[in-house]
Amino acid sequence: MKQDITQRFLFENLDVRGEIVSLEHSYHEVLTRHQYPAPVAKLLGELLAASALLCGTLKFDGTLVLQARSEGPLPLLMVECNSNREIRGIARYEAEQINDSMSLQELMPNGILALTVDPTQGKRYQGIVALEGETLASSLSSYFASSEQLPTYFWLCADGKQAKGFLLQALPAEKQHDDDERQNTWQHLTVLANSLNADEFLTVDNSTILHRLYHEEDIRLFEKLPIKFHCSCSRERSANALRSLGEADAFALLDEQQGKITIDCQFCNKEYIFDIADVTQLFKDGSSNPPADTRH
């Protein structure tokens, strides 16, 4: 049975918490929308897992966006996850330039990774880090190390069928107040986490993984929370995009496209179609109704 969950855990006697994410159905839903080459599908799965980890860690109401851009054959990876644990993602790539053995740096040379938090209320926040590591996980860890955030460790893997993520994050000093002791604890826990291998991570349940890694520690494992694929596109958003063109340009586009404007969602491949009656109504009273065809 396919499952998509995120699960928190806490070291009872240490100032460290963690999160484990497993994605199957939502990862499958993202991949079925486009025919991605294997290394692109792998990186997209890793970024999906990373966004779900961060949504489980950051306490906010809104949407988190992870976007990797580069000058290489994979110019864009983009994933969104909201506070309802709804996720979607997309990649842009040059298929003829990609082979299955390419590394992150070969796929995304001179890349940058942007993390954007767009809360329902309050200010939008964005942080950017260079994609200098050998993996997305190391680049994300570097982002947190270079920011004012608490030290955070990422472990990500994906194989085209499953995507999983593991996160450790240091907490403010409450149980360990000595800096050297805290640093030694952090190093010890991350070294053990690095002993994970992908086959084990993809096939073993969360409680078993934590026991194998940290059987000497007292760990509290919280309930599993569901994650699902969901695309936030809508006919209303498409209508707003048309409205933003202005009436003259919208009718010019309508004429150019032989009487029907098709707006397609790059994330889920839905198509929203607007004919002359729809566009007239749109600028008459601002309504996107009556609904025309919406296709998958």
Side-chain angles (χ1 to χ4, degrees):
M1 180 180 177
K2 292 183 177 180
Q3 63 171 349
D4 294 65
I5 57 100
T6 182
Q7 192 169 19
R8 273 185 66 215
F9 61 92
L10 181 70
F11 292 85
E12 296 281 19
N13 302 313
L14 307 172
D15 295 316
V16 180
R17 66 180 175 185
E19 191 99 15
I20 302 179
V21 162
S22 302
L23 302 177
E24 294 185 61
H25 180 72
S26 54
Y27 184 29
H28 173 76
E29 287 294 312
V30 169
L31 295 186
T32 56
R33 265 59 184 186
H34 303 275
Q35 296 299 312
Y36 293 119
V40 176
K42 178 181 183 297
L43 287 174
L44 188 54
E46 290 179 4
L47 203 64
L48 286 163
S51 69
L53 286 172
L54 287 167
C55 268
T57 302
L58 302 173
K59 304 301 181 186
F60 75 104
D61 182 17
T63 301
L64 178 140
V65 181
L66 283 177
Q67 190 172 149
R69 291 187 174 273
S70 82
E71 301 172 358
L74 180 53
L76 175 69
L77 287 171
M78 181 178 177
V79 169
E80 295 180 1
C81 185
N82 64 31
S83 45
N84 294 322
R85 299 182 299 280
E86 296 170 334
I87 198 166
R88 66 178 187 170
I90 194 170
R92 292 278 175 264
Y93 62 96
E94 302 294 338
E96 68 282 356
Q97 299 178 31
I98 294 175
N99 63 67
D100 288 354
S101 64
M102 295 180 79
S103 67
L104 172 63
Q105 291 303 323
E106 290 171 326
L107 289 165
M108 306 193 79
N110 302 314
I112 60 167
L113 179 65
L115 184 154
T116 305
V117 177
D118 192 4
T120 305
Q121 295 183 337
K123 286 188 176 182
R124 191 167 176 261
Y125 167 82
Q126 184 176 74
I128 297 175
V129 67
L131 277 176
E132 293 178 339
E134 294 183 2
T135 64
L136 283 174
S138 62
S139 295
L140 277 163
S141 297
S142 295
Y143 167 80
F144 279 86
S146 63
S147 72
E148 296 181 2
Q149 304 284 345
L150 295 166
T152 306
Y153 165 93
F154 291 84
W155 202 103
L156 306 169
C157 69
D159 65 357
K161 295 180 180 179
Q162 296 181 75
K164 295 199 73 171
F166 183 94
L167 175 146
L168 293 175
Q169 187 170 68
L171 297 172
E174 288 186 1
K175 298 162 186 174
Q176 291 182 302
H177 296 278
D178 181 82
D179 289 342
D180 289 339
E181 185 183 7
R182 285 172 58 82
Q183 182 59 38
N184 289 338
T185 293
W186 180 252
Q187 184 175 4
H188 174 67
L189 296 180
T190 55
V191 165
L192 289 175
N194 270 322
S195 69
L196 266 177
N197 66 69
D199 289 340
E200 178 184 30
F201 197 21
L202 290 170
T203 56
V204 177
D205 65 90
N206 293 347
S207 60
T208 302
I209 286 173
L210 289 175
H211 178 72
R212 288 182 183 178
L213 291 176
Y214 305 119
H215 56 274
E216 295 181 352
E217 305 294 342
D218 186 8
I219 294 178
R220 188 195 324 172
L221 185 60
F222 293 84
E223 65 177 321
K224 297 175 181 178
L225 298 174
I227 300 170
K228 65 179 180 179
F229 171 83
H230 174 74
C231 189
S232 56
C233 71
S234 67
R235 181 171 175 80
E236 182 179 1
R237 286 190 172 193
S238 299
N240 287 337
L242 266 183
R243 190 183 292 115
S244 69
L245 292 176
E247 187 170 0
D249 286 345
F251 276 98
L253 183 61
L254 188 68
D255 185 57
E256 181 183 311
Q257 297 192 7
Q258 287 78 49
K260 282 190 177 181
I261 297 173
T262 300
I263 298 177
D264 65 313
C265 174
Q266 299 300 305
F267 285 93
C268 71
N269 286 341
K270 279 185 182 177
E271 291 182 341
Y272 299 93
I273 299 174
F274 297 81
D275 60 19
I276 188 168
D278 297 322
V279 177
T280 300
Q281 188 74 15
L282 187 64
F283 288 98
K284 181 179 179 181
D285 62 4
S287 171
S288 61
N289 295 315
D293 294 338
T294 299
R295 300 189 304 214
H296 291 269

